[in-house]
Amino acid sequence: MDDIISLCKRRGIIFQGSDIYGGLAGTWDWGPLGVVLKRNVMQTWWRYFVERRTNMYGVDAAIIMNPKVWVASGHAATFADPMVEDMVNHRRYRADHLLKDADIEADDGMSDAELTKLIADNGIKSPDGNPLGAVKRFNMMFRTTVGATESDDAVAYLRPETAQGIFTNYKNVVDTVYPAVPFGIAQQGKAFRNEISPRDFIFRSREFEQMEIEYFVHPDKWEEAFEHWHDEVHNFLEKEIGLPADMIHDYEVPEKDRAHYSDRTIDVEFDYPIGREELMGIAYRTDFDLRNIERATGKSMEYRPKDGSEPFVPHVIEPSFGVERLIMAILTACYQTDEVGGSQRKVLKLPKSLAPIQVTVSPLLKNKSELVGKAREIYDSLISAMPGKVSWDDSGNIGKRYRKADEIGVPHCVVVDFDTLTDNAVTVRDRDTTQQERIAIDKLAKYLAK
Ligand code: ATP
């Protein structure tokens, strides 16, 4: 984990949020390379789950929604984690995390009294060695006020999940694009949770990004849809993103641990450096959300099939991804140490399509103007052929440049040397094999694109 955090900071992938002011716990900023990596991951997801399908529609809803949404969805009443306070210094912790750190697994369904007893029975102290108070619930939604007044009726919340932005637009989508059930609505965007103890780098943040699908099906068809999305999720993680299948595990969440809205959940877990933890979840949300909207608004959420058959309120399968947890899985799987020419190297073996920089161009020596001029010419032409994917590097010696390129996962390095001036060809080095090939300049763009 330390290696990954250090790589991210050193190479401009992820920085602590508000770093220069001493940071703000649970927030992270994406640097020049990170912003491209994140965008590539999100685009790959969108292409796989939305664009290549005929029955998927996208929305981009507002982050601040009418507070009635969170009352109807159950979040106002139940979206809370168990919190416990150090009786001496008043620092607050998640009760289940302190128990987990002591190798005691608490059920998600345990009451505050049961957790308090479990902590007392096992003599659990705060990380500073002080006694702990009774467990209380802490609602994780961030509050804000809308408009110029700060009265109670101006209170609103930053969305804790993107899902409700989809459910509130279900009727809008049905009434404007007339989709045939089954169909899905997808959304990517920020979610906010006031986590009691954000930790483990970007794994548990207070501001993060979700990629969610609500897939609307006939109530009789939920089981096959669940299996379909379960397969698709594995396919995406293993084939599209390239995560090793043996690091991915399904956890069938028992009823007592499931979220209040779910009748079946599989958590897809990953072997992170911090242990096996949830990467994403697939939940069968039944008609819970659409029925809540009906109750709260008095509007019917019934779907009327075009063939005139019986109207029904659709049931929902929800595959829900966190961008940060997916990127942390990618970094975990791809950051490797191998041996090249008898010495160790650090290499980020990102799938080529995700690499923030696809190719670096450099002159063998930076003080030889004829090499620099030729390399610049090639760099400029590649930039117009592959915008945003090419980087210039003339720092240090060529060995150092290769090491840096390997560490940030650049699939190809192009080097202009003295032979280039006579044979009009360059050396192209492959990140994974470290093999070097001689490629004619006029064939270079095509070669790299391939
Ligand atoms: P956990 O049990 O780890 O807190 P959760 O079950 O509450 O997660 P969901 O409500 O199912 O998470 O959210 C869907 C996805 O959003 C998660 O699988 C995860 O990828 C992501 N996610 C949730 N909370 C966070 C967070 N605090 N930081 C980063 N990603 C998160």
Side-chain angles (χ1 to χ4, degrees), residues 80-241:
D81 273 343
M83 180 181 72
V84 69
E85 194 170 304
D86 179 314
M87 299 299 279
V88 177
N89 59 27
H90 303 292
R91 290 203 179 113
R92 292 168 165 194
Y93 301 95
R94 247 178 84 169
D96 54 331
H97 284 175
L98 291 186
L99 284 160
K100 193 171 178 198
D101 291 346
D103 283 332
I104 301 162
E105 204 62 49
D107 292 343
D108 284 356
M110 274 186 166
S111 69
D112 295 353
E114 285 168 324
L115 286 167
T116 306
K117 185 167 179 319
L118 200 59
I119 286 175
D121 289 351
N122 288 282
I124 310 285
K125 298 264 187 289
S126 82
D128 296 313
N130 299 321
L132 294 163
V135 172
K136 285 187 226 149
R137 292 286 142 171
F138 173 76
N139 192 297
M140 292 199 289
M141 286 198 293
F142 275 100
R143 278 161 65 106
T144 186
T145 50
V146 173
T149 51
E150 294 208 353
S151 64
D152 275 356
D153 52 6
V155 167
Y157 301 91
L158 305 188
R159 66 181 179 204
E161 60 171 30
T162 56
Q164 293 306 322
I166 297 179
F167 289 120
T168 50
N169 280 294
Y170 157 81
K171 198 168 159 33
N172 285 336
V173 173
V174 169
D175 291 348
T176 51
V177 297
Y178 312 109
V181 166
F183 72 94
I185 307 180
Q187 177 168 223
Q188 299 185 327
K190 292 269 188 180
F192 301 81
R193 295 184 186 181
N194 200 358
E195 296 277 354
I196 297 164
S197 38
R199 58 182 194 175
D200 301 324
F201 192 37
I202 54 172
F203 182 85
R204 187 172 300 286
S205 333
R206 289 186 168 135
E207 175 177 342
F208 55 98
E209 204 119 11
Q210 288 187 317
M211 306 184 284
E212 297 197 295
I213 293 168
E214 305 304 332
Y215 194 69
F216 299 91
V217 297
H218 188 279
D220 294 343
K221 297 276 170 58
W222 78 266
E223 272 159 318
E224 63 192 74
F226 194 99
E227 293 314 324
H228 168 75
W229 287 107
H230 181 222
D231 289 348
E232 285 294 61
V233 161
H234 275 273
N235 220 23
F236 172 74
L237 292 173
E238 291 160 28
K239 308 263 163 51
E240 204 69 17
I241 296 289

Side-chain angles (χ1 to χ4, degrees), residues 241-311:
I241 296 289
L243 294 177
D246 61 357
M247 295 177 87
I248 301 170
H249 312 275
D250 284 342
Y251 174 64
E252 180 81 48
V253 181
E255 191 182 344
K256 62 183 168 38
D257 290 342
R258 284 199 294 260
H260 60 279
Y261 49 73
S262 174
D263 265 15
R264 185 180 177 197
T265 301
I266 290 181
D267 282 349
V268 177
E269 302 182 328
F270 187 77
D271 291 325
Y272 290 105
I274 50 170
R276 186 175 294 181
E277 295 287 351
E278 175 179 333
L279 192 171
M280 61 80 61
I282 310 163
Y284 167 42
R285 284 180 91 127
T286 66
D287 55 358
F288 177 84
D289 300 274
L290 293 184
R291 292 283 184 201
N292 285 340
I293 293 177
E294 283 190 332
R295 270 190 291 275
T297 65
K299 295 188 179 122
S300 169
M301 294 294 118
E302 256 182 4
Y303 176 82
R304 295 183 175 280
K306 286 175 197 150
D307 63 5
S309 54
E310 214 35 37

